Amino acid sequence: MEEKMKKTREQAVSDNMWGSPAVFCLAAFVAFVIVRTESATRVGWILYFAGWVPAICMAVWCAARRKSPGVGGAFAFTLLAVFGLLSWLAHG
């Protein structure tokens, strides 16, 4: 039988930090598409830009430790860039 490999606390925090921009993008999407008021659009942009904070913090953390951001970093920054571009085209 295979033993499940437990993640270290550092790896679990890293995975969650890299994945957190998806939650901010989802919240911004709800504000943009479902609520659809002028104030909700402003809140959506605030939520979107707040999603950059954990990704940038993790990039700085990886740079300080001389470690590659890996797939998590690629996911976070690609998601933020694509979502931002599409939101700007629709609501800019």
Side-chain angles (χ1 to χ4, degrees):
M1 290 189 147
E2 288 183 42
E3 283 188 39
K4 290 185 180 179
M5 289 185 59
K6 276 192 151 186
K7 291 183 180 181
T8 63
R9 181 177 298 181
E10 179 183 349
Q11 185 62 41
V13 169
S14 175
D15 291 350
N16 288 324
M17 288 289 285
W18 282 126
S20 66
V23 177
F24 287 99
C25 287
L26 177 64
F29 177 79
V30 168
F32 289 141
V33 176
I34 296 175
V35 180
R36 287 187 168 188
T37 63
E38 188 176 320
S39 59
T41 300
R42 274 193 298 265
V43 169
W45 283 116
I46 291 168
L47 289 168
Y48 165 71
F49 287 115
W52 282 90
V53 173
I56 291 171
C57 288
M58 283 304 297
V60 169
W61 176 257
C62 288
R65 299 196 60 188
R66 297 178 187 238
K67 193 174 173 186
S68 171
V71 176
F75 165 77
F77 288 112
T78 302
L79 174 69
L80 287 164
V82 170
F83 184 81
L85 176 65
L86 294 175
S87 296
W88 177 72
L89 290 173
H91 304 285

